[in-house]
Amino acid sequence: MLLTAPPALRITSAHPRHDRRTPLLIAAAVFVVYSVFALRRHSVFGTTGYDLGIFEQAVRSYAAGDLPASEIRTASASVGFTDDAFPLFGDHFHPVLAVLAPLYLLFPHAELLLVVQVALVAVSAYVVARAASRHVPHPAAGPVLGAAYAFSWGLQELIGFDFHEVAFAVPLLALACGAYLDGRWVASAWWAVGLVLVKEDLGATVLVLGLLLWRHHRRAGVALCVAGPVSSALAVLLVIPALAPDGAYGYASLGDDPLTALDGWAIKASTIALLLGITAGLALVSPLVLLAVPTLAWRFLSPNPAYWGPHHHYSAVLMPIVFLALIDALRRWEDRGSGIAGDRDRILGRILLVPALVAALLLPALPLRDLADPGFWQYSPRRSATRAALALIPDGARVAASNHLAPHLTDRATVHLATHDVLTRRPDLDWLIADTQEPFPPGGVQAALRDAEARGWQTVYARGDVVILRRAP
């Protein structure tokens, strides 16, 4: 039962010779596998302007000494926003991206963001595997839980969908929860406070951890209880509205219907089922599982169906929470006493199979399945034509590009998304490169091409589905 009175927590590991090498091996394997996948996916045009291109433009802004801005991210047509670049602090508050600026100066390419995201996940995998090795009295705990976590559905969806700032929250949450299990209350608070720099909604998660720390270390708990809500309030009520083109925080609406939370209940239930299934439901035994409540609450209360399900990057922050909660639950179970050692090891072994089996069974439906697809490794004539087209866009050009082509130009050109009104909003553009089969935004590419032709733009490349038009001199 959730939040039952626990026995006195065992602060130090019962296994002073716990495996220190396995977590490093898992982290290294995670880094290699995910890097190969992410970089290959980008090279075959699987990434998009929404969102990899947007985030590269943000980091590029920081590297130039400016606040984050993006030419790809556009405001609503009703706003009448005509500036060249959208101020991204008017959308979300994620100053943590500034730490990438020095690296971007050394390697100014979109691939940097993908590799950094993989590295952040690898660090979190090390922390989870190490925590399992320290606190779960079974020799397979570290490798099994570490691998099940590393290739869990939430993290695969993160790696399989471009780059997002929440990748920074993944290791921070793992480190905060891991320190909590170790009884290092101040360290847990310090790791958690970094979340306020990742995204504005994570202040609520910081508050929950502060409440959990309160009983163990009053000052650390109070600090988080203040820092979390205050930082979120400042971001949502002051910073974002001050920079947003329409002067408002665009994600505050819960819908006009008070029963919005009941919509899509089957999709929401599938997300909950996956969270419980991958931990055999035992995560509910640990108070750490409460850290997942704020994220699930804003997602399920939102009228946007994209937030409800297990896809995209939205569940990545939940993975370290539920896995560290599982480790905590197994530790609490051992501390209550479980009979003779042989029975304990046998039962623990069966429990450890659940996360591993769930991860394995879900693999055919998750992004890493592409690694086994021969087509993923082939350069088709279509891909070759696309690469040749991109090479024709000169460095420093002002270009409108379709969604899947945009992140291949953002490191060397000023890139806007090809939409129905892009040439009206940006009459100074000189190039339009588009994949005519691009579905996002709906009808945007076809409308942009028609507009360019009506303005007398010249077609300079047309091969397969890829077309380049240039403004007439």
Side-chain angles (χ1 to χ4, degrees):
M1 181 178 179
L2 181 62
L3 293 180
T4 54
L9 292 180
R10 169 168 41 82
I11 302 304
T12 58
S13 172
H15 311 282
R17 296 184 181 179
H18 64 273
D19 188 359
R20 292 178 174 84
R21 183 173 58 182
T22 297
L24 287 173
L25 293 176
I26 290 174
V30 168
F31 183 79
V32 171
V33 172
Y34 276 146
S35 292
V36 169
F37 170 77
L39 294 175
R40 180 59 183 176
R41 181 174 177 271
H42 178 66
S43 72
V44 296
F45 308 104
T47 55
T48 58
Y50 264 80
D51 292 309
L52 179 59
I54 291 174
F55 281 107
E56 184 183 0
Q57 289 176 335
V59 175
R60 189 177 181 182
S61 299
Y62 276 125
D66 300 321
L67 290 177
S70 170
E71 293 83 9
I72 292 174
R73 172 70 168 87
T74 57
S76 168
S78 62
V79 174
F81 182 73
T82 58
D83 287 356
D84 193 35
F86 185 99
L88 290 176
F89 278 169
D91 184 39
H92 288 298
F93 186 68
H94 39 50
V96 70
L97 295 177
V99 304
L100 298 182
L103 293 175
Y104 192 81
L105 289 172
L106 296 175
F107 190 81
H109 302 289
E111 290 87 344
L112 171 70
L113 277 67
L114 298 176
V115 172
V116 166
Q117 181 168 254
V118 168
L120 293 169
V121 170
V123 169
S124 73
Y126 170 82
V127 175
V128 171
R130 183 175 181 273
S133 177
R134 282 178 58 85
H135 296 289
V136 181
H138 193 285
V144 171
L145 292 183
Y149 164 80
F151 299 107
S152 60
W153 56 273
L155 296 182
Q156 284 202 48
E157 292 288 352
L158 171 70
I159 300 298
F161 183 30
D162 294 7
F163 170 92
H164 294 87
E165 75 280 76
V166 295
F168 284 92
V170 174
L172 287 173
L173 282 165
L175 288 162
C177 292
Y180 183 91
L181 294 188
D182 292 340
R184 296 182 291 116
W185 317 120
V186 175
S188 179
W190 275 114
W191 288 120
V193 80
L195 295 170
V196 305
L197 302 177
V198 177
K199 201 174 179 183
E200 67 277 0
D201 63 279
L202 289 170
T205 304
V206 173
L207 169 63
V208 173
L209 184 57
L211 295 174
L212 296 182
L213 285 175
W214 190 295
R215 60 177 291 195
H216 303 293
H217 194 289
R218 183 65 57 88
R219 290 184 179 179
V222 170
L224 292 189
C225 288
V226 173
V230 169
S231 64
S232 289
L234 289 174
V236 171
L237 300 178
L238 293 179
V239 177
I240 295 176
L243 295 173
D246 61 356
Y249 179 57
Y251 303 92
S253 173
L254 298 181
D256 298 328
D257 186 350
L259 298 180
T260 296
L262 299 180
D263 294 342
W265 61 267
I267 300 175
K268 297 171 183 177
S270 69
T271 301
I272 297 295
L274 285 171
L275 288 172
L276 295 179
I278 205 165
T279 63
L282 293 177
L284 292 175
V285 174
S286 170
L288 287 176
V289 78
L290 292 175
L291 296 174
V293 172
T295 295
L296 290 173
W298 74 255
R299 289 173 58 186
F300 290 172
L301 290 174
S302 171
N304 187 348
Y307 298 151
W308 302 342
H311 301 298
H312 308 307
H313 58 287
Y314 303 112
S315 294
V317 298
L318 302 178
M319 295 298 103
I321 294 172
V322 296
F323 270 87
L324 269 299
L326 170 61
I327 293 169
D328 186 31
L330 295 177
R331 175 183 63 170
R332 290 168 184 268
W333 173 71
E334 184 212 5
D335 286 345
R336 285 192 175 93
S338 56
I340 62 176
D343 291 338
R344 181 196 66 188
D345 289 346
R346 184 163 52 252
I347 295 172
L348 271 177
R350 292 173 180 174
I351 294 173
L352 292 174
L353 282 177
V354 174
L357 287 174
V358 171
L361 290 173
L362 290 176
L363 186 58
L366 294 174
L368 282 185
R369 68 182 182 275
D370 290 344
L371 291 174
D373 180 5
F376 187 66
W377 303 101
Q378 296 172 357
Y379 275 114
S380 64
R382 188 175 190 277
R383 291 170 178 168
S384 298
T386 303
R387 196 165 297 281
L390 289 166
L392 296 178
I393 304 298
D395 292 351
R398 300 183 62 85
V399 56
S402 56
N403 195 32
H404 283 78
L405 303 185
H408 293 269
L409 293 168
T410 46
D411 61 348
R412 61 184 184 87
T414 300
V415 182
H416 293 260
L417 193 67
T419 61
H420 70 283
D421 63 345
V422 65
L423 299 185
T424 300
R425 290 186 294 103
R426 303 310 318 168
D428 55 344
L429 295 180
D430 297 313
W431 298 82
L432 171 61
I433 180 170
D435 183 337
T436 59
Q437 300 303 309
E438 174 60 57
F440 179 83
V445 166
Q446 291 73 21
L449 290 172
R450 289 194 299 268
D451 190 12
E453 291 171 352
R455 294 170 184 263
W457 285 38
Q458 300 173 350
T459 300
V460 298
Y461 182 93
R463 182 178 171 188
D465 296 322
V466 182
V467 179
I468 298 180
L469 281 76
R470 185 178 183 181
R471 185 172 60 170

Short mmCIF file of all heavy atoms in Angstrom, two decimals, residues 128 132 136 140-153 156 274-283 319 322-327 330 347-363 366:
data_model
loop_
_atom_site.label_atom_id
_atom_site.label_comp_id
_atom_site.label_asym_id
_atom_site.label_seq_id
_atom_site.Cartn_x
_atom_site.Cartn_y
_atom_site.Cartn_z
N VAL A 128 21.01 4.59 -11.91
CA VAL A 128 19.98 3.59 -11.57
C VAL A 128 20.62 2.23 -11.34
O VAL A 128 20.29 1.53 -10.37
CB VAL A 128 18.93 3.52 -12.69
CG1 VAL A 128 17.98 2.34 -12.46
CG2 VAL A 128 18.12 4.82 -12.74
N ALA A 132 20.60 0.17 -7.80
CA ALA A 132 20.09 -1.19 -7.70
C ALA A 132 21.13 -2.12 -7.09
O ALA A 132 20.82 -2.98 -6.26
CB ALA A 132 19.66 -1.69 -9.08
N VAL A 136 19.57 -3.43 -3.59
CA VAL A 136 18.77 -4.64 -3.79
C VAL A 136 19.67 -5.85 -3.60
O VAL A 136 20.66 -6.00 -4.34
CB VAL A 136 18.13 -4.65 -5.19
CG1 VAL A 136 17.30 -5.92 -5.37
CG2 VAL A 136 17.26 -3.42 -5.41
N ALA A 140 21.88 -9.99 -9.58
CA ALA A 140 21.43 -9.56 -10.91
C ALA A 140 20.73 -8.22 -10.89
O ALA A 140 20.36 -7.70 -11.95
CB ALA A 140 20.50 -10.62 -11.51
N ALA A 141 20.53 -7.63 -9.72
CA ALA A 141 19.74 -6.41 -9.62
C ALA A 141 20.33 -5.27 -10.44
O ALA A 141 19.62 -4.59 -11.18
CB ALA A 141 19.59 -5.99 -8.16
N GLY A 142 21.64 -5.04 -10.29
CA GLY A 142 22.27 -3.94 -11.01
C GLY A 142 22.14 -4.07 -12.51
O GLY A 142 21.62 -3.17 -13.19
N PRO A 143 22.62 -5.19 -13.10
CA PRO A 143 22.54 -5.31 -14.55
C PRO A 143 21.11 -5.39 -15.10
O PRO A 143 20.81 -4.79 -16.12
CB PRO A 143 23.32 -6.59 -14.85
CG PRO A 143 23.42 -7.31 -13.56
CD PRO A 143 23.40 -6.28 -12.50
N VAL A 144 20.22 -6.11 -14.39
CA VAL A 144 18.86 -6.28 -14.91
C VAL A 144 18.07 -4.97 -14.85
O VAL A 144 17.48 -4.52 -15.83
CB VAL A 144 18.12 -7.39 -14.14
CG1 VAL A 144 16.64 -7.41 -14.52
CG2 VAL A 144 18.75 -8.74 -14.45
N LEU A 145 18.05 -4.34 -13.67
CA LEU A 145 17.30 -3.10 -13.55
C LEU A 145 17.95 -1.96 -14.33
O LEU A 145 17.26 -1.10 -14.89
CB LEU A 145 17.15 -2.71 -12.07
CG LEU A 145 16.26 -3.64 -11.24
CD1 LEU A 145 16.14 -3.12 -9.80
CD2 LEU A 145 14.88 -3.78 -11.86
N GLY A 146 19.30 -1.96 -14.36
CA GLY A 146 19.97 -0.93 -15.14
C GLY A 146 19.64 -1.02 -16.62
O GLY A 146 19.34 -0.01 -17.27
N ALA A 147 19.66 -2.24 -17.18
CA ALA A 147 19.36 -2.42 -18.60
C ALA A 147 17.88 -2.18 -18.88
O ALA A 147 17.52 -1.56 -19.90
CB ALA A 147 19.76 -3.83 -19.04
N ALA A 148 17.00 -2.69 -18.00
CA ALA A 148 15.56 -2.48 -18.20
C ALA A 148 15.22 -0.99 -18.18
O ALA A 148 14.39 -0.52 -18.96
CB ALA A 148 14.77 -3.21 -17.12
N TYR A 149 15.87 -0.26 -17.29
CA TYR A 149 15.66 1.18 -17.24
C TYR A 149 16.19 1.85 -18.50
O TYR A 149 15.52 2.67 -19.13
CB TYR A 149 16.35 1.77 -16.01
CG TYR A 149 16.50 3.28 -16.09
CD1 TYR A 149 15.44 4.11 -15.78
CD2 TYR A 149 17.71 3.85 -16.51
CE1 TYR A 149 15.57 5.49 -15.89
CE2 TYR A 149 17.85 5.23 -16.61
CZ TYR A 149 16.78 6.05 -16.30
OH TYR A 149 16.90 7.41 -16.42
N ALA A 150 17.42 1.54 -18.86
CA ALA A 150 18.09 2.22 -19.97
C ALA A 150 17.32 2.09 -21.27
O ALA A 150 17.28 3.03 -22.08
CB ALA A 150 19.50 1.68 -20.14
N PHE A 151 16.68 0.93 -21.47
CA PHE A 151 15.96 0.72 -22.71
C PHE A 151 14.45 0.68 -22.49
O PHE A 151 13.71 0.06 -23.25
CB PHE A 151 16.45 -0.56 -23.38
CG PHE A 151 17.92 -0.49 -23.73
CD1 PHE A 151 18.86 -1.20 -23.00
CD2 PHE A 151 18.35 0.31 -24.77
CE1 PHE A 151 20.21 -1.12 -23.30
CE2 PHE A 151 19.70 0.40 -25.08
CZ PHE A 151 20.63 -0.31 -24.36
N SER A 152 14.01 1.36 -21.44
CA SER A 152 12.58 1.44 -21.15
C SER A 152 11.86 2.28 -22.19
O SER A 152 12.48 3.07 -22.92
CB SER A 152 12.36 2.04 -19.75
OG SER A 152 12.92 3.34 -19.68
N TRP A 153 10.57 2.15 -22.26
CA TRP A 153 9.80 2.80 -23.32
C TRP A 153 9.88 4.33 -23.25
O TRP A 153 9.96 5.00 -24.28
CB TRP A 153 8.34 2.34 -23.28
CG TRP A 153 7.64 2.54 -21.98
CD1 TRP A 153 7.63 1.69 -20.92
CD2 TRP A 153 6.86 3.67 -21.59
NE1 TRP A 153 6.88 2.22 -19.89
CE2 TRP A 153 6.38 3.43 -20.29
CE3 TRP A 153 6.48 4.86 -22.22
CZ2 TRP A 153 5.57 4.33 -19.60
CZ3 TRP A 153 5.68 5.76 -21.55
CH2 TRP A 153 5.23 5.49 -20.26
N GLN A 156 13.34 5.38 -24.69
CA GLN A 156 13.41 5.15 -26.13
C GLN A 156 12.61 6.19 -26.89
O GLN A 156 13.02 6.65 -27.96
CB GLN A 156 12.92 3.74 -26.47
CG GLN A 156 13.90 2.64 -26.15
CD GLN A 156 13.62 1.38 -26.95
OE1 GLN A 156 13.43 1.43 -28.16
NE2 GLN A 156 13.60 0.25 -26.26
N LEU A 274 1.49 1.10 -18.36
CA LEU A 274 2.89 0.88 -18.72
C LEU A 274 3.82 1.26 -17.57
O LEU A 274 4.82 0.58 -17.31
CB LEU A 274 3.24 1.68 -19.97
CG LEU A 274 2.70 1.12 -21.29
CD1 LEU A 274 2.93 2.11 -22.42
CD2 LEU A 274 3.34 -0.22 -21.63
N LEU A 275 3.50 2.35 -16.88
CA LEU A 275 4.31 2.76 -15.74
C LEU A 275 4.29 1.71 -14.63
O LEU A 275 5.32 1.41 -14.02
CB LEU A 275 3.81 4.10 -15.19
CG LEU A 275 4.10 5.33 -16.04
CD1 LEU A 275 3.37 6.54 -15.48
CD2 LEU A 275 5.59 5.61 -16.12
N LEU A 276 3.11 1.16 -14.37
CA LEU A 276 3.00 0.14 -13.33
C LEU A 276 3.58 -1.19 -13.79
O LEU A 276 4.24 -1.90 -13.03
CB LEU A 276 1.54 -0.03 -12.92
CG LEU A 276 0.87 1.18 -12.26
CD1 LEU A 276 -0.58 0.87 -11.94
CD2 LEU A 276 1.62 1.57 -10.99
N GLY A 277 3.33 -1.53 -15.06
CA GLY A 277 3.77 -2.82 -15.56
C GLY A 277 5.27 -2.97 -15.54
O GLY A 277 5.80 -4.04 -15.20
N ILE A 278 5.99 -1.91 -15.89
CA ILE A 278 7.45 -2.03 -15.98
C ILE A 278 8.09 -2.13 -14.60
O ILE A 278 9.28 -2.45 -14.48
CB ILE A 278 8.03 -0.85 -16.78
CG1 ILE A 278 9.36 -1.25 -17.40
CG2 ILE A 278 8.17 0.40 -15.93
CD1 ILE A 278 9.85 -0.33 -18.47
N THR A 279 7.33 -1.88 -13.54
CA THR A 279 7.85 -2.04 -12.18
C THR A 279 7.04 -3.07 -11.39
O THR A 279 7.14 -3.11 -10.17
CB THR A 279 7.81 -0.70 -11.43
OG1 THR A 279 6.45 -0.26 -11.30
CG2 THR A 279 8.62 0.36 -12.14
N ALA A 280 6.26 -3.88 -12.09
CA ALA A 280 5.42 -4.90 -11.44
C ALA A 280 4.48 -4.28 -10.40
O ALA A 280 4.04 -4.96 -9.48
CB ALA A 280 6.29 -5.99 -10.79
N GLY A 281 4.19 -3.01 -10.53
CA GLY A 281 3.31 -2.33 -9.59
C GLY A 281 3.95 -2.01 -8.26
O GLY A 281 3.35 -1.33 -7.42
N LEU A 282 5.19 -2.46 -8.05
CA LEU A 282 5.83 -2.28 -6.74
C LEU A 282 6.30 -0.85 -6.50
O LEU A 282 6.57 -0.47 -5.36
CB LEU A 282 7.03 -3.24 -6.62
CG LEU A 282 6.68 -4.72 -6.56
CD1 LEU A 282 7.94 -5.57 -6.52
CD2 LEU A 282 5.80 -5.02 -5.36
N ALA A 283 6.37 -0.04 -7.56
CA ALA A 283 6.76 1.36 -7.35
C ALA A 283 5.79 2.07 -6.42
O ALA A 283 6.16 3.03 -5.74
CB ALA A 283 6.82 2.08 -8.70
N MET A 319 10.64 7.88 -15.96
CA MET A 319 11.40 6.64 -15.90
C MET A 319 12.33 6.57 -14.69
O MET A 319 12.31 5.57 -13.96
CB MET A 319 12.18 6.43 -17.21
CG MET A 319 11.30 6.23 -18.43
SD MET A 319 10.22 4.75 -18.34
CE MET A 319 8.65 5.51 -17.95
N VAL A 322 10.07 6.05 -11.41
CA VAL A 322 9.46 4.76 -11.11
C VAL A 322 10.50 3.68 -10.87
O VAL A 322 10.27 2.76 -10.06
CB VAL A 322 8.47 4.34 -12.23
CG1 VAL A 322 7.31 5.32 -12.31
CG2 VAL A 322 9.15 4.20 -13.58
N PHE A 323 11.66 3.76 -11.54
CA PHE A 323 12.67 2.73 -11.31
C PHE A 323 13.35 2.91 -9.96
O PHE A 323 13.62 1.92 -9.27
CB PHE A 323 13.69 2.73 -12.45
CG PHE A 323 13.31 1.82 -13.58
CD1 PHE A 323 12.50 2.27 -14.61
CD2 PHE A 323 13.74 0.50 -13.60
CE1 PHE A 323 12.12 1.42 -15.64
CE2 PHE A 323 13.38 -0.35 -14.63
CZ PHE A 323 12.57 0.11 -15.66
N LEU A 324 13.64 4.14 -9.56
CA LEU A 324 14.19 4.34 -8.21
C LEU A 324 13.16 4.01 -7.15
O LEU A 324 13.50 3.52 -6.07
CB LEU A 324 14.70 5.77 -8.07
CG LEU A 324 16.17 6.05 -8.44
CD1 LEU A 324 17.11 5.23 -7.55
CD2 LEU A 324 16.46 5.79 -9.89
N ALA A 325 11.88 4.25 -7.45
CA ALA A 325 10.82 3.84 -6.52
C ALA A 325 10.76 2.33 -6.39
O ALA A 325 10.55 1.78 -5.30
CB ALA A 325 9.48 4.40 -6.98
N LEU A 326 10.96 1.62 -7.51
CA LEU A 326 11.01 0.16 -7.46
C LEU A 326 12.18 -0.32 -6.60
O LEU A 326 12.03 -1.23 -5.77
CB LEU A 326 11.13 -0.40 -8.87
CG LEU A 326 11.42 -1.90 -9.00
CD1 LEU A 326 10.30 -2.73 -8.37
CD2 LEU A 326 11.63 -2.29 -10.46
N ILE A 327 13.34 0.27 -6.79
CA ILE A 327 14.51 -0.10 -5.98
C ILE A 327 14.23 0.15 -4.50
O ILE A 327 14.56 -0.67 -3.63
CB ILE A 327 15.74 0.68 -6.46
CG1 ILE A 327 16.13 0.22 -7.87
CG2 ILE A 327 16.92 0.52 -5.49
CD1 ILE A 327 17.16 1.10 -8.54
N LEU A 330 11.92 -2.59 -3.18
CA LEU A 330 12.61 -3.86 -2.94
C LEU A 330 13.48 -3.78 -1.69
O LEU A 330 13.61 -4.76 -0.94
CB LEU A 330 13.45 -4.23 -4.16
CG LEU A 330 12.66 -4.52 -5.44
CD1 LEU A 330 13.59 -4.79 -6.60
CD2 LEU A 330 11.70 -5.69 -5.23
N ILE A 347 12.61 -15.19 -4.87
CA ILE A 347 11.51 -14.24 -5.07
C ILE A 347 12.01 -12.98 -5.75
O ILE A 347 11.38 -12.46 -6.69
CB ILE A 347 10.85 -13.91 -3.72
CG1 ILE A 347 10.19 -15.16 -3.13
CG2 ILE A 347 9.81 -12.80 -3.89
CD1 ILE A 347 9.69 -14.97 -1.72
N LEU A 348 13.15 -12.47 -5.29
CA LEU A 348 13.71 -11.27 -5.91
C LEU A 348 14.03 -11.51 -7.39
O LEU A 348 13.80 -10.65 -8.24
CB LEU A 348 14.97 -10.83 -5.18
CG LEU A 348 14.79 -9.87 -4.00
CD1 LEU A 348 16.13 -9.60 -3.35
CD2 LEU A 348 14.16 -8.57 -4.46
N GLY A 349 14.57 -12.67 -7.68
CA GLY A 349 14.89 -13.00 -9.06
C GLY A 349 13.67 -12.97 -9.95
O GLY A 349 13.72 -12.48 -11.09
N ARG A 350 12.55 -13.47 -9.44
CA ARG A 350 11.31 -13.45 -10.23
C ARG A 350 10.80 -12.03 -10.42
O ARG A 350 10.29 -11.67 -11.48
CB ARG A 350 10.26 -14.32 -9.55
CG ARG A 350 10.60 -15.81 -9.58
CD ARG A 350 9.63 -16.62 -8.75
NE ARG A 350 9.96 -18.04 -8.78
CZ ARG A 350 9.36 -18.98 -8.05
NH1 ARG A 350 8.39 -18.61 -7.20
NH2 ARG A 350 9.71 -20.23 -8.14
N ILE A 351 10.91 -11.23 -9.37
CA ILE A 351 10.47 -9.83 -9.48
C ILE A 351 11.31 -9.09 -10.50
O ILE A 351 10.80 -8.30 -11.32
CB ILE A 351 10.53 -9.13 -8.11
CG1 ILE A 351 9.51 -9.76 -7.15
CG2 ILE A 351 10.28 -7.64 -8.25
CD1 ILE A 351 9.62 -9.24 -5.73
N LEU A 352 12.62 -9.34 -10.48
CA LEU A 352 13.51 -8.64 -11.40
C LEU A 352 13.24 -9.00 -12.85
O LEU A 352 13.57 -8.23 -13.76
CB LEU A 352 14.97 -8.95 -11.06
CG LEU A 352 15.48 -8.40 -9.72
CD1 LEU A 352 16.89 -8.91 -9.44
CD2 LEU A 352 15.46 -6.88 -9.74
N LEU A 353 12.64 -10.15 -13.08
CA LEU A 353 12.32 -10.54 -14.45
C LEU A 353 11.25 -9.66 -15.07
O LEU A 353 11.21 -9.50 -16.29
CB LEU A 353 11.86 -12.00 -14.49
CG LEU A 353 12.93 -13.09 -14.40
CD1 LEU A 353 12.28 -14.46 -14.38
CD2 LEU A 353 13.89 -12.98 -15.59
N VAL A 354 10.38 -9.09 -14.24
CA VAL A 354 9.25 -8.33 -14.78
C VAL A 354 9.69 -7.12 -15.59
O VAL A 354 9.28 -6.97 -16.75
CB VAL A 354 8.28 -7.94 -13.64
CG1 VAL A 354 7.17 -7.03 -14.19
CG2 VAL A 354 7.68 -9.18 -13.00
N PRO A 355 10.52 -6.21 -15.03
CA PRO A 355 10.95 -5.07 -15.85
C PRO A 355 11.68 -5.50 -17.12
O PRO A 355 11.51 -4.89 -18.18
CB PRO A 355 11.87 -4.29 -14.92
CG PRO A 355 11.47 -4.70 -13.55
CD PRO A 355 11.06 -6.13 -13.67
N ALA A 356 12.49 -6.56 -17.00
CA ALA A 356 13.24 -7.02 -18.17
C ALA A 356 12.30 -7.57 -19.24
O ALA A 356 12.46 -7.28 -20.43
CB ALA A 356 14.25 -8.09 -17.74
N LEU A 357 11.29 -8.35 -18.82
CA LEU A 357 10.35 -8.92 -19.78
C LEU A 357 9.49 -7.84 -20.42
O LEU A 357 9.23 -7.88 -21.62
CB LEU A 357 9.47 -9.97 -19.08
CG LEU A 357 10.15 -11.29 -18.74
CD1 LEU A 357 9.21 -12.19 -17.93
CD2 LEU A 357 10.61 -12.01 -20.01
N VAL A 358 9.04 -6.88 -19.62
CA VAL A 358 8.22 -5.81 -20.18
C VAL A 358 9.01 -5.01 -21.21
O VAL A 358 8.52 -4.71 -22.31
CB VAL A 358 7.71 -4.88 -19.06
CG1 VAL A 358 7.05 -3.64 -19.65
CG2 VAL A 358 6.72 -5.62 -18.17
N ALA A 359 10.26 -4.69 -20.88
CA ALA A 359 11.10 -3.96 -21.82
C ALA A 359 11.32 -4.76 -23.11
O ALA A 359 11.27 -4.21 -24.21
CB ALA A 359 12.45 -3.62 -21.17
N ALA A 360 11.53 -6.07 -22.98
CA ALA A 360 11.75 -6.91 -24.15
C ALA A 360 10.50 -7.04 -25.00
O ALA A 360 10.55 -6.98 -26.23
CB ALA A 360 12.23 -8.29 -23.71
N LEU A 361 9.35 -7.20 -24.35
CA LEU A 361 8.10 -7.36 -25.09
C LEU A 361 7.69 -6.09 -25.83
O LEU A 361 7.07 -6.15 -26.89
CB LEU A 361 6.98 -7.78 -24.13
CG LEU A 361 7.09 -9.20 -23.56
CD1 LEU A 361 6.03 -9.44 -22.50
CD2 LEU A 361 6.97 -10.24 -24.67
N LEU A 362 8.06 -4.94 -25.27
CA LEU A 362 7.70 -3.67 -25.91
C LEU A 362 8.65 -3.29 -27.03
O LEU A 362 8.32 -2.42 -27.84
CB LEU A 362 7.68 -2.56 -24.87
CG LEU A 362 6.55 -2.59 -23.83
CD1 LEU A 362 6.74 -1.48 -22.81
CD2 LEU A 362 5.19 -2.46 -24.50
N LEU A 363 9.80 -3.90 -27.10
CA LEU A 363 10.84 -3.49 -28.06
C LEU A 363 10.34 -3.42 -29.50
O LEU A 363 10.67 -2.47 -30.21
CB LEU A 363 12.04 -4.42 -27.95
CG LEU A 363 13.27 -4.04 -28.79
CD1 LEU A 363 13.75 -2.64 -28.41
CD2 LEU A 363 14.39 -5.05 -28.60
N LEU A 366 8.89 -0.03 -30.26
CA LEU A 366 9.64 1.14 -29.83
C LEU A 366 10.70 1.54 -30.87
O LEU A 366 11.05 0.73 -31.75
CB LEU A 366 10.29 0.87 -28.48
CG LEU A 366 9.30 0.68 -27.32
CD1 LEU A 366 10.04 0.28 -26.05
CD2 LEU A 366 8.48 1.95 -27.08
#
